[in-house]
Amino acid sequence: MESTNKLHLKIVTENSFEEDDIEQTIIEYGKNFGKLEYESADSGSNIEDLKAGHEYMLGKKVWNSHPISGGHIGWVNLRKGIYAPEWKPLKNFMENDIIRAFPDNGNIYKCITAGKTMARTPSFLTNASVEFYDANGNKWIPNYNYEVNDVVFSLDNSVVFYYICETAGFSATEEPDWNKVANGTTVIDGSVTWRKERTVKWKQVGTSSNFKPFGKIE
């Protein structure tokens, strides 16, 4: 059998017909259909439409199903790896959910402990053997002027839960009893209102794909 120039599909030609094995020809044609499907099947109005957890090869193209003037024809993958949606602030994640780091560092992360991400991006560790919390904040301070979306942790050094400011104001002179606050509910601290949230824990589990738009439409 011979191969095509671009996709390297195995085909029968006049030159190879006499020597080609029928069984092997059928097998190779089946592989051809797989290659063709891989090249043409993926499309969407946004790159976020891709299925999380699927590995894409370098150079894979995804076609824009709703092209518009000023937009792009599609997206091309610049790095072999797994696709996952980008990390987002203030979003709930369940165990085994996966994301890619923001800003991009080339890695995929799996949620080890369910929780809610913070308003500011965490420092994504690149050591696959280390689990880490989606933690970006400071310990609670008395008589401090807090603003909306500020995050604090308890003075006992625990980061299992964090507390996000929903109503700006000054904290009290004594730390709230965080243990009496149920997850997802609020507590009043002086003139500040805090909401208790469970901190997400992540682990680096692989390399992420890296799709970029191509073919600007004038």
Side-chain angles (χ1 to χ4, degrees):
M1 301 184 73
E2 297 183 10
S3 297
T4 59
N5 293 328
K6 293 184 177 180
L7 296 180
H8 304 291
L9 304 177
K10 294 293 184 179
I11 59 173
V12 176
T13 67
E14 291 183 0
N15 296 329
S16 66
F17 180 78
E18 296 294 338
E19 299 178 357
D20 289 338
D21 178 76
I22 295 178
E23 180 180 357
Q24 188 61 34
T25 298
I26 294 173
I27 293 173
E28 292 298 336
Y29 271 45
K31 293 178 181 178
N32 288 348
F33 284 122
K35 289 182 180 180
L36 291 171
E37 182 178 22
Y38 178 79
E39 289 296 325
S40 62
D42 290 305
S43 65
S45 58
N46 191 295
I47 197 64
E48 301 291 341
D49 292 341
L50 292 180
K51 182 180 179 181
H54 186 79
E55 184 177 55
Y56 290 93
M57 302 300 291
L58 176 68
K60 168 65 179 177
K61 296 182 179 68
V62 176
W63 305 103
N64 189 349
S65 60
H66 294 84
I68 59 173
S69 179
H72 293 83
I73 294 173
W75 301 266
V76 60
N77 186 27
L78 304 182
R79 181 174 56 226
K80 178 185 176 181
I82 299 168
Y83 173 76
E86 191 176 74
W87 177 93
K88 298 293 185 184
L90 304 177
K91 179 178 174 61
N92 289 304
F93 286 93
M94 303 298 294
E95 288 186 17
N96 297 319
D97 284 347
I98 60 173
I99 54 98
R100 67 181 185 274
F102 174 79
D104 175 50
N105 67 1
N107 292 304
I108 289 289
Y109 295 86
K110 181 171 71 172
C111 177
I112 303 300
T113 301
K116 188 174 184 177
T117 55
M118 298 187 182
R120 292 178 292 176
T121 181
S123 297
F124 285 100
L125 302 183
T126 56
N127 187 337
S129 64
V130 178
E131 298 177 359
F132 62 96
Y133 282 102
D134 193 317
N136 194 333
N138 300 302
K139 293 181 182 179
W140 178 88
I141 301 173
N143 303 312
Y144 187 82
N145 185 15
Y146 285 102
E147 298 181 355
V148 173
N149 286 335
D150 281 346
V151 168
V152 298
F153 297 101
S154 63
L155 295 179
D156 64 4
N157 296 316
S158 173
V159 293
V160 174
F161 293 95
Y162 71 89
Y163 308 90
I164 184 167
C165 177
E166 291 194 340
T167 302
F170 282 87
S171 57
T173 56
E174 294 186 3
E175 181 183 20
D177 187 350
W178 307 114
N179 291 326
K180 293 183 178 180
V181 184
N183 184 39
T185 64
T186 59
V187 60
I188 303 300
D189 168 31
S191 56
V192 182
T193 300
W194 301 104
R195 181 172 295 276
K196 183 176 183 177
E197 298 287 358
R198 184 177 294 276
T199 312
V200 182
K201 183 184 282 188
W202 301 107
K203 182 179 181 180
Q204 190 265 324
V205 292
T207 302
S208 67
S209 57
N210 183 26
F211 281 91
K212 296 294 184 180
F214 75 92
K216 184 67 178 289
I217 304 171
E218 299 298 337

